[in-house]
Amino acid sequence: MPDSIVTFEDVDVVYRLQGGGETVACQGLGFAVRENEFVSIVGPSGCGKSTSLRVIAGLQPYRRGSVRVRREPVGHRVPDGLAMMFQTPVLLDWNSVIDNVGLPLEVAGLSRREARAESRRFLELAQLERFADARPYELSGGMQQRVALCRALVSKPDLLLMDEPFGALDALTRAQMGGVLQNIWERQKVAVVFVTHSIREAVTLSDRVLVMSARPGRLLKDVRIDLPRPREGAVRRMAKFQDYVDEIAVCLGMPDGVE
Amino acid sequence: MADVKPASDRRLGGALPAIISLAVVIGAWQAATTLGNVSPALFPSPLLTAQKIVELSGLLIRNTWPTLIEAAVGLASSVVIGIPLGILLAGRGPVSRGLFPLVLGTQNIPKVALAPLLVVWFGFGAMPKFVLVFLITFFPVVVTTTTGIRSVPREMIELGAICKMSALQRLARLEFPYALPSILSGVKVATTMAIIAAIVAEFVGSTEGLGFLIVQAQGSINTPLIFAAIVVVSFVGFALYGLVGMAEKILIPWHISQRRTHD
């Protein structure tokens, strides 16, 4: 696969436990993500979904196999052109919203003025320009995650890792965030690896859904989602949409489906 | 914002309980001295103490400055030396592990016991006071700095790693701002200790300052002057503490402890 941006081959990840012993988070894990592709990972809690993301980001060492980003083996260094969104927004309360968005640019050496000009464009895309000078704690949870999304995209990464970024939001806000993400993803070319608990969310957003087993996590199924975009109400009511959801649910041991 | 009550009302409401509790203590003190039939030469009433303060204001003010300067300079050196030291100790490498027992060890020496030694070494001037204030106040600054920096959430450190921050950028943009509320609370604790340290250092050997005045008044059994000096000392403590409180409002307006006063 010449155009793969992420490649996992037969990867084991082992955590050493406090007080001796170890636990295997992932075993023989293998998959690939192509450039500009949206891939979700679903699976039961503790199956190593988040761990896989952390391995890609160079934050988590792995024991066996090979992990490559753009053919470069991932070591203890964070690969170039990578951004990450966490389960919480992780915004800096001591900076304004716009300076939170511009953080990666300033760290990379841009002046605050240049960083703000660039950040403002992304705040507009996320409909947050009114809050540029507010402090993060003055925003709602959904708005905070939108700021975090802007910060993740502002450095124009070609690989975006999202670790259950909407997990803490209510259902309505979550659906809106999904819309914002689809919107931005269709404009900005970026490969996304998206970890989620929600099968419907995964099917709505993804080109492919990777289904992982309980710990030790391994790949159970690689489901290609062949649905037209944008995936709004009409698409989500299609029988084919529900078929994908059921297929994944059955694979996860939920034969009666979900939600 | 469309608040029903203006902020000034709330501020008065905030100060009112403090005023009441202070008034109760002073009232009890006044009652004890007038009803208890105690000699004012041994236990002066608040009224007499207040009279003394007014009467001897020149003397008191003249001796307040040295004490204030000793406490402030000692405290400032604690901040200037304690924060970098706390940052060094927050690391998990050999530097931190080598330094930590040393810093902890200094805390097991009763530093007040060093005051006579400091007079032998540095004489009767301001220097031994600076040193004692520093020795007594740097520890809370170091500990709160270390704790604050070590408390930065893992995800925030990972955000720094993803952005490829250098160690210095991580310190300046994430760790130090995150630790600042904790550091300032350490400085607040250090403030009250600084006044105590300055007074004790003056007891041991000095030619000026409020501690010196208290020892002098003791020599002539001038209890009202001792009381007057103690009241002034506590005001100096209040003032220094208030100064750090103001620094908090300026430096960490974003912190949860400060937000209420900022809407």
Side-chain angles (χ1 to χ4, degrees):
Chain A
M1 275 168 289
D3 54 348
S4 286
I5 187 158
V6 178
T7 335
F8 262 60
E9 271 169 24
D10 206 17
V11 173
D12 287 4
V13 182
V14 179
Y15 283 108
R16 229 170 255 133
L17 299 175
Q18 209 121 65
E22 39 189 36
T23 176
V24 182
C26 307
Q27 198 165 48
L29 190 61
F31 65 85
V33 179
R34 277 190 290 278
E35 275 172 30
N36 308 333
E37 192 178 28
F38 199 120
V39 174
S40 289
I41 306 178
V42 297
S45 289
C47 73
K49 306 184 293 284
S50 300
T51 302
S52 317
L53 284 195
R54 293 166 44 77
V55 167
I56 298 171
L59 300 170
Q60 169 70 46
Y62 53 97
R63 183 168 283 186
R64 200 166 63 91
S66 107
V67 177
R68 276 169 293 150
V69 172
R70 277 181 244 88
R71 291 184 208 158
E72 298 254 348
V74 176
H76 292 290
R77 236 182 98 260
V78 177
D80 292 327
L82 178 144
M84 186 160 180
M85 262 182 91
F86 302 89
Q87 289 174 16
T88 54
V90 203
L91 299 175
L92 313 181
D93 283 342
W94 46 91
N95 288 153
S96 63
V97 164
I98 194 161
D99 289 336
N100 265 281
V101 174
L103 179 79
L105 299 179
E106 284 191 50
V107 170
L110 260 67
S111 74
R112 180 153 290 189
R113 255 196 48 189
E114 295 167 311
R116 280 186 180 164
E118 195 61 23
S119 305
R120 203 170 292 279
R121 285 188 34 231
F122 282 87
L123 286 176
E124 278 164 19
L125 273 180
Q127 287 161 14
L128 283 169
E129 65 272 28
R130 249 169 22 86
F131 299 94
D133 298 320
R135 294 287 177 136
Y137 51 80
E138 296 174 306
L139 307 186
S140 71
M143 286 157 81
Q144 291 185 14
Q145 270 305 20
R146 260 145 72 197
V147 175
L149 180 63
C150 290
R151 179 182 61 196
L153 292 170
V154 77
S155 53
K156 307 220 171 61
D158 45 19
L159 176 59
L160 173 60
L161 308 176
M162 304 180 83
D163 186 4
E164 287 185 62
F166 311 146
L169 304 176
D170 63 272
L172 187 66
T173 312
R174 191 170 182 152
Q176 285 169 349
M177 283 300 294
V180 171
L181 180 57
Q182 280 197 71
N183 221 331
I184 292 179
W185 179 75
E186 268 156 42
R187 281 162 208 252
Q188 185 166 343
K189 289 294 162 203
V190 57
V192 180
V193 187
F194 187 89
V195 165
T196 178
H197 271 111
S198 163
I199 298 173
R200 297 186 71 86
E201 190 172 68
V203 173
T204 305
L205 295 171
S206 312
D207 296 318
R208 275 161 61 218
V209 178
L210 306 177
V211 186
M212 280 177 73
S213 72
R215 179 169 289 191
R218 55 180 93 222
L219 192 62
L220 291 177
K221 204 158 198 175
D222 183 341
V223 184
R224 177 164 302 280
I225 309 295
D226 189 14
L227 290 170
R229 289 182 183 272
R231 294 180 184 156
E232 285 155 354
V235 177
R236 291 165 61 108
R237 279 188 295 275
M238 284 165 67
K240 206 169 161 194
F241 183 94
Q242 192 56 44
D243 290 345
Y244 282 127
V245 172
D246 290 340
E247 180 186 352
I248 294 165
V250 168
C251 185
L252 285 169
M254 298 182 289
D256 298 329
V258 280
E259 289 147 288
Chain B
M1 297 286 156
D3 256 339
V4 180
K5 273 187 177 177
S8 58
D9 270 19
R10 215 175 324 139
R11 208 168 299 147
L12 185 65
L16 203 58
I19 292 168
I20 290 172
S21 66
L22 201 65
V24 167
V25 171
I26 292 173
W29 175 11
Q30 182 71 46
T33 48
T34 41
L35 302 176
N37 195 22
V38 202
S39 157
L42 283 180
F43 198 82
S45 69
L47 215 62
L48 182 62
T49 307
Q51 271 172 6
K52 265 285 175 207
I53 292 174
V54 174
E55 190 186 310
L56 298 175
S57 57
L59 179 72
L60 286 165
I61 290 171
R62 212 165 41 246
N63 285 285
T64 298
W65 284 120
T67 307
L68 186 63
I69 288 166
E70 287 154 17
V73 171
L75 190 63
S77 7
S78 279
V79 168
V80 169
I81 296 170
I83 293 176
L85 189 59
I87 291 169
L88 274 180
L89 288 176
R92 300 187 190 270
V95 178
S96 159
R97 274 175 300 172
L99 276 177
F100 196 70
L102 218 65
V103 175
L104 202 63
T106 62
Q107 290 314 294
N108 296 322
I109 302 167
K111 272 149 294 161
V112 171
L114 293 178
L117 189 63
L118 295 175
V119 172
V120 174
W121 285 348
F122 301 111
F124 289 85
M127 195 54 175
K129 284 87 180 175
F130 293 159
V131 174
L132 190 69
V133 173
F134 167 75
L135 287 176
I136 288 186
T137 57
F138 90 100
F139 194 63
V141 178
V142 170
V143 170
T144 51
T145 304
T146 302
T147 314
I149 286 182
R150 282 196 175 171
S151 312
V152 177
R154 186 181 79 166
E155 289 186 335
M156 197 175 278
I157 295 296
E158 292 183 349
L159 171 74
I162 299 280
C163 295
K164 297 181 184 291
M165 284 188 189
S166 66
L168 204 63
Q169 284 175 322
R170 192 174 66 228
L171 180 66
R173 290 182 179 275
L174 306 179
E175 291 170 333
F176 186 73
Y178 188 89
L180 200 51
S182 165
I183 295 171
L184 285 168
S185 70
V187 175
K188 264 187 175 171
V189 173
T191 301
T192 57
M193 291 160 70
I195 302 289
I196 298 170
I199 296 291
V200 169
E202 286 171 0
F203 282 173
V204 176
S206 63
T207 54
E208 55 179 359
L210 290 168
F212 167 75
L213 206 59
I214 290 172
V215 174
Q216 288 286 299
Q218 183 206 26
S220 54
I221 323 184
N222 188 348
T223 326
L225 179 56
I226 296 181
F227 269 67
I230 290 172
V231 169
V232 174
V233 167
S234 66
F235 271 113
V236 173
F238 264 119
L240 266 186
Y241 193 84
L243 224 59
V244 181
M246 271 163 59
E248 281 184 330
K249 284 203 169 67
I250 295 163
L251 292 172
I252 52 166
W254 49 269
H255 190 247
I256 193 107
S257 67
Q258 305 297 323
R259 282 180 212 166
R260 211 170 285 269
T261 58
H262 255 258
D263 46 11

